[in-house]
Amino acid sequence: MSADPANVQLDGHGALRLTPLRAADGTWTSGRVETRRSDFAAPPGGELRISARLTLPDVIASDGAGYWPAFWALGSGVRGGGAPWPSGGEIDVLEGLDGHPSTWSTLHCGAACLEPAGLTSGEHPCPACLSGEHEYIVDIDRSRSPEQIRWSVDGTEVFHLDATAVDPATWDAAVHHGFFVIFDLALGGTFPGSVGGPSAARPGSATVAGRPMTVVSVQISIREQISARDQISTREG
């Protein structure tokens, strides 16, 4: 990952581009950004929504081996060192791999989440995601019982996990705290290799450079707890 404007830049129209580049010697560079704040949290009885409108890299399986665009959130303790990964919580709002017409949504939380894979949607077909701008959303909902994490694309739910998927202590450690948000575009790694085979674990000569992930907007919203009285008044109104 690089701080070079060639890898991380605004496009002149308000959007952020993370662009992977290959040097003459075959070395790859790319970009990663994250929020300075790490206190984005779902309050007890409320809800946290993290969403972004973005365009995935314009690659397909034949020229996208190793491409790994991602939009995710890490627990504040992972950054501070007080709650190391994975028990400190990682929520992958979106991962794309190897130019496949698919997305992945995942919670990482330690042994109970079947690491290193995590509790995941698996490969979710999304042919439309390869072209144009789409909105990717995760909701941490503590207003219901059991609590729930929901993933959506363009307003349509693609995956959810109830708190009962793991033991209460694991859920608490992974979810009940602040998060910081990350966008990055990696090249190669164990995850691309697990889907695209050995050639995707390290991008090769057929992997095209210069195809950015473009982040058009990001929004983080918090809904506080609504009392039963307020709910009744709202319905009556």
Side-chain angles (χ1 to χ4, degrees), residues 37 39-43 46-49 220-225:
R37 285 182 58 174
D39 60 348
F40 304 120
E47 186 174 352
L48 170 70
R49 168 169 287 194
I220 298 170
S221 57
I222 296 172
R223 181 172 63 85
E224 300 290 344
Q225 181 176 11

Short mmCIF file of all heavy atoms in Angstrom, two decimals, residues 37 39-43 46-49 220-225:
data_model
loop_
_atom_site.label_atom_id
_atom_site.label_comp_id
_atom_site.label_asym_id
_atom_site.label_seq_id
_atom_site.Cartn_x
_atom_site.Cartn_y
_atom_site.Cartn_z
N ARG A 37 -11.63 8.43 12.87
CA ARG A 37 -12.51 8.07 13.97
C ARG A 37 -12.69 6.57 14.04
O ARG A 37 -12.75 5.88 13.01
CB ARG A 37 -13.88 8.74 13.80
CG ARG A 37 -13.88 10.22 14.12
CD ARG A 37 -15.26 10.83 13.98
NE ARG A 37 -16.25 10.18 14.85
CZ ARG A 37 -17.50 10.62 14.97
NH1 ARG A 37 -17.91 11.69 14.29
NH2 ARG A 37 -18.34 9.99 15.78
N ASP A 39 -15.01 5.35 16.57
CA ASP A 39 -16.07 5.27 17.57
C ASP A 39 -17.45 5.12 16.96
O ASP A 39 -18.46 5.45 17.58
CB ASP A 39 -16.03 6.50 18.48
CG ASP A 39 -16.23 7.81 17.72
OD1 ASP A 39 -16.17 7.80 16.47
OD2 ASP A 39 -16.45 8.85 18.38
N PHE A 40 -17.53 4.61 15.73
CA PHE A 40 -18.83 4.39 15.10
C PHE A 40 -19.42 3.11 15.68
O PHE A 40 -18.95 2.01 15.39
CB PHE A 40 -18.68 4.27 13.58
CG PHE A 40 -18.00 5.46 12.94
CD1 PHE A 40 -16.83 5.30 12.24
CD2 PHE A 40 -18.54 6.73 13.07
CE1 PHE A 40 -16.20 6.39 11.65
CE2 PHE A 40 -17.92 7.83 12.48
CZ PHE A 40 -16.74 7.66 11.77
N ALA A 41 -20.45 3.25 16.52
CA ALA A 41 -20.97 2.10 17.26
C ALA A 41 -22.49 2.10 17.27
O ALA A 41 -23.13 3.16 17.28
CB ALA A 41 -20.45 2.14 18.70
N ALA A 42 -23.05 0.91 17.29
CA ALA A 42 -24.49 0.75 17.47
C ALA A 42 -24.81 0.86 18.94
O ALA A 42 -24.31 0.07 19.75
CB ALA A 42 -24.94 -0.60 16.92
N PRO A 43 -25.63 1.83 19.36
CA PRO A 43 -25.95 1.97 20.78
C PRO A 43 -26.89 0.86 21.23
O PRO A 43 -27.62 0.28 20.42
CB PRO A 43 -26.64 3.33 20.85
CG PRO A 43 -27.24 3.51 19.50
CD PRO A 43 -26.30 2.85 18.54
N GLY A 46 -30.32 0.41 19.68
CA GLY A 46 -30.33 1.20 18.46
C GLY A 46 -29.69 0.47 17.30
O GLY A 46 -29.58 -0.76 17.29
N GLU A 47 -29.22 1.25 16.32
CA GLU A 47 -28.72 0.64 15.09
C GLU A 47 -27.63 1.52 14.48
O GLU A 47 -27.70 2.75 14.52
CB GLU A 47 -29.88 0.48 14.11
CG GLU A 47 -29.55 -0.26 12.83
CD GLU A 47 -30.78 -0.51 11.97
OE1 GLU A 47 -31.92 -0.23 12.45
OE2 GLU A 47 -30.63 -0.97 10.83
N LEU A 48 -26.61 0.86 13.93
CA LEU A 48 -25.55 1.52 13.18
C LEU A 48 -25.63 1.07 11.74
O LEU A 48 -25.72 -0.13 11.47
CB LEU A 48 -24.18 1.16 13.76
CG LEU A 48 -22.96 1.59 12.94
CD1 LEU A 48 -22.78 3.10 12.98
CD2 LEU A 48 -21.69 0.89 13.44
N ARG A 49 -25.62 2.03 10.82
CA ARG A 49 -25.56 1.71 9.39
C ARG A 49 -24.29 2.31 8.80
O ARG A 49 -24.00 3.50 8.97
CB ARG A 49 -26.77 2.24 8.64
CG ARG A 49 -26.62 2.19 7.12
CD ARG A 49 -27.91 2.46 6.37
NE ARG A 49 -28.82 1.30 6.49
CZ ARG A 49 -29.91 1.14 5.72
NH1 ARG A 49 -30.23 2.05 4.82
NH2 ARG A 49 -30.67 0.07 5.88
N ILE A 220 -22.26 7.13 7.41
CA ILE A 220 -22.38 6.38 8.65
C ILE A 220 -23.50 7.03 9.47
O ILE A 220 -23.44 8.23 9.75
CB ILE A 220 -21.07 6.36 9.44
CG1 ILE A 220 -19.99 5.67 8.60
CG2 ILE A 220 -21.24 5.65 10.78
CD1 ILE A 220 -18.59 5.80 9.14
N SER A 221 -24.52 6.26 9.81
CA SER A 221 -25.65 6.81 10.54
C SER A 221 -25.96 5.93 11.75
O SER A 221 -25.79 4.72 11.72
CB SER A 221 -26.88 6.92 9.64
OG SER A 221 -27.22 5.66 9.08
N ILE A 222 -26.42 6.59 12.81
CA ILE A 222 -26.74 5.91 14.07
C ILE A 222 -28.17 6.25 14.45
O ILE A 222 -28.56 7.43 14.47
CB ILE A 222 -25.77 6.34 15.18
CG1 ILE A 222 -24.35 5.90 14.84
CG2 ILE A 222 -26.20 5.75 16.53
CD1 ILE A 222 -23.29 6.43 15.79
N ARG A 223 -28.93 5.22 14.73
CA ARG A 223 -30.29 5.41 15.24
C ARG A 223 -30.30 5.03 16.70
O ARG A 223 -29.95 3.91 17.06
CB ARG A 223 -31.28 4.54 14.46
CG ARG A 223 -32.74 4.69 14.91
CD ARG A 223 -33.69 3.95 13.98
NE ARG A 223 -33.46 2.52 13.96
CZ ARG A 223 -33.98 1.66 14.85
NH1 ARG A 223 -34.74 2.10 15.84
NH2 ARG A 223 -33.74 0.38 14.75
N GLU A 224 -30.67 5.97 17.53
CA GLU A 224 -30.70 5.73 18.97
C GLU A 224 -31.89 4.85 19.34
O GLU A 224 -32.81 4.63 18.55
CB GLU A 224 -30.78 7.05 19.73
CG GLU A 224 -29.61 7.99 19.48
CD GLU A 224 -28.31 7.48 20.09
OE1 GLU A 224 -28.37 6.58 20.95
OE2 GLU A 224 -27.24 7.99 19.71
N GLN A 225 -31.89 4.38 20.58
CA GLN A 225 -32.97 3.55 21.08
C GLN A 225 -34.28 4.31 21.04
O GLN A 225 -34.36 5.49 21.39
CB GLN A 225 -32.69 3.09 22.51
CG GLN A 225 -33.76 2.18 23.09
CD GLN A 225 -33.38 1.68 24.47
OE1 GLN A 225 -32.43 2.15 25.06
NE2 GLN A 225 -34.12 0.73 24.98
#
